[in-house]
Structure formats: structure tokens, C-alpha cells
Amino acid sequence: MTMHVRLRIAAVVAAFVLVVGFLLGVRSRSSGGYEPYRGPLASPGTPAAKAGTTRRVALNTDPADYPRLKALGYDLVDVKPDDSLVAGVPEGMQALLWVGNFTCGDFELDYEAFTRAVLRFGRDPRVYGWYLSDEPNSGECPHVAREIRRRADYIRGHAPGQVSFISLTDWPMKPVAPASVGVDLVGLDPYPCKGSAQTREECNIDAIDRMVRMADDAGIPRRKVAPVFQTFGQGCSQGDKQYWLPTVDQLRAILARWDRLAPRPPLEVSYSWGRQKEWACPSLSDASGGAHPDLQSVMKARNTRR
């Protein structure tokens, strides 16, 4: 082989490597560096509640939404601990009171105001429970776990029959597991339709197994797990652009996987009903057919089945 031929081959190889590298870089940037989970699956779960006793809430709602939510089979609404807001909860529904924080942020109520709220609503039959924290990041802020513990203990002593609830993502879970902080229920929020704000053919359904395995490893009993369903995208959000609104078939696949891992849980959460400027747009309130998939009909069929 002549030197000229070797140089031409080397140039072709170098060009090919550059093209492949460019395409991989574009792919990585377009998905935000997201890599789908392809690891071991979680073991099947056993029913945690009696048939027909699962409670259901769609987050980020307003009083004007309540009739529609009730028609879709939701029986909880999230509100702040305010007399007028609790009074506005329709008959046949109850309130999940938001008093929490997000990751390492401040709590909605300082501890003194929180205890006053518990004394005010702790025996109110219109109240189902207390949402104490959304995705607490105990790795970066260990004090959050201590504060959740303090508040869960107070609820246990002053709000008999009401539940304490937190929602977790893939931060360290063991410091905020029920055995550590004393909460009754733990939401898990893997969102499988990730990697783009535009609809793709497949969601990474196995991401649900990944988070359930994390919860298992942290000692969180399956009977205390509350699945959080992805009913949002970010096609019209002004912040993140990492998630797309599931199609009807994709949402059904999400629900089927949760039915395998946490059948008949005590609580199911749909995130989100209402739009959130940075995080959730479009949302379940948009998803009634036409411009968006009819996810409302899917959730109604699930919520109202007997």
C-alpha cells in the first residue's frame, strides 16, 4: 500500500469518526444527556389496600376544577390549610393539605404556624392528610429529614386518622424513609416519558422499576408506596424541556407497570392537573383530546372502575 493510499484511508477514517462524534453529541444535547434505565427490574408487589379503597388526587388544582375532577373519579384535592379553602372542598371529596417544602427550600409554614394548623384541622373530617415535603433532598440538606420527622410526629399525636405524606424522587431515600421520619405514605415520582419535550415513540417504563428498587433498598415498604403518574409534558413550559406528555398508550403502559409493582396502593397521585409555568405544560387539564391525547378518559376509566 502506497503512502498516498494510506493517507487517504486515514483521512476517511478521521472524517467518519468526526461525523459519528458530532451525531452522538447532537443526540446527547437534544436529550439533555438523559440515558434510559436498562437495569434490573423490580419484583412484583402485593396489594396494599382493599379493592375500592385507593384514594386519588391530581395535584395543582383550583376550586373551579373540582366538579371536573370529581367526575373523573378523583376524591382528594390539594389545598393550603385555610378555612375558606377547606370549606370549598365538595361533598364526597377530602383535602390533602399542602404544608411542605420543595427539595431544600423553606416549608410553607414555619413550625409554630404548622402546629396551629394541625390543631385547627387535625380532627376535621374534611381533611384526609398532610403533604409534608416534595422531593426532599436529604443528601444536600440533612436538616429536612429532621424537620419532616418532627412534623410527622406532631400529626400522629394531634391528628388521629389523618395521614402524613411526602413525595420522593431519586435523591437519597433512606434518610427520609418511613422508618426514619415516621411518615405514613411515600410517593415515588419516576417520570418515564423523558429526554425530549417532543413526543417520542417509547417511554422508558423501566425507570419506574429503578425507583421502586431504590425504595426497596431504602427499606420503604411497598404497602406505603403511593405511585405518582406522569400526566404532564414540557412542550409549552418556560423552564425545563425534558419531558413530553404521554400518549394514551404510553400512559396505559405506565399504569400497567405500577399495577405490577404496587397494586391497589392506598393513594395514587396524578402530576399534574394544573399547568406550572416552569415544570408542567401541557398538563392533565389540557389532555382531553383534540390537540392533546385524551388522558382524562384513561384516568376516569381507572378511577371509577369497580
Side-chain angles (χ1 to χ4, degrees), residues 99-281:
V99 292
N101 79 310
F102 179 65
T103 62
C104 290
D106 294 333
F107 282 78
E108 182 75 18
L109 301 177
D110 64 28
Y111 187 71
E112 182 179 349
F114 166 77
T115 60
R116 289 198 303 268
V118 174
L119 293 176
R120 174 70 183 87
F121 295 107
R123 297 179 184 272
D124 193 322
R126 298 170 298 181
V127 174
Y128 165 76
W130 303 77
Y131 194 163
L132 295 182
S133 188
D134 183 15
E135 299 185 347
N137 187 348
S138 59
E140 292 189 6
C141 43
H143 70 278
V144 169
R146 295 192 296 271
E147 189 61 25
I148 293 171
R149 174 92 223 189
R150 181 163 70 144
R151 295 177 183 228
D153 288 346
Y154 196 83
I155 290 169
R156 187 173 301 105
H158 297 86
Q162 297 179 2
V163 305
S164 54
F165 169 75
I166 60 175
S167 185
L168 303 183
T169 189
D170 48 5
W171 310 121
M173 290 186 182
K174 192 167 185 177
V176 286
S180 300
V181 296
V183 296
D184 298 306
L185 297 177
V186 174
L188 299 180
D189 63 6
Y191 299 134
C193 303
K194 182 178 181 181
S196 170
Q198 302 300 315
T199 304
R200 292 185 173 180
E201 290 186 7
E202 293 186 359
C203 300
N204 183 216
I205 303 298
D206 292 354
I208 299 172
D209 292 74
R210 171 182 175 271
M211 192 166 288
V212 170
R213 291 183 70 247
M214 288 179 64
D216 289 345
D217 291 344
I220 299 175
R222 295 278 183 95
R223 70 181 184 276
K224 292 181 178 289
V225 167
V228 182
F229 304 139
Q230 181 180 352
T231 58
F232 77 99
Q234 295 179 332
C236 56
S237 73
Q238 297 181 21
D240 279 3
K241 298 287 186 180
Q242 299 184 60
Y243 300 92
W244 72 86
L245 185 71
T247 66
V248 166
D249 287 342
Q250 289 169 351
L251 178 59
R252 286 175 175 155
I254 290 170
L255 299 177
R257 183 62 58 90
W258 272 117
D259 285 341
R260 176 181 182 272
L261 301 178
R264 292 210 305 263
L267 173 67
E268 292 181 345
V269 181
S270 299
Y271 175 77
S272 168
W273 172 266
R275 289 185 172 191
Q276 292 180 301
K277 180 178 178 181
E278 185 174 3
W279 308 111
C281 183

Side-chain angles (χ1 to χ4, degrees), residues 56 68-74 284 294-306:
R56 296 179 170 93
R68 181 61 181 156
L69 292 166
K70 191 173 182 180
L72 294 175
Y74 291 98
L284 185 56
D294 187 5
L295 305 186
Q296 291 184 21
S297 292
V298 176
M299 295 311 303
K300 180 178 181 179
R302 179 181 186 82
N303 295 346
T304 59
R305 69 187 180 189
R306 295 291 183 264

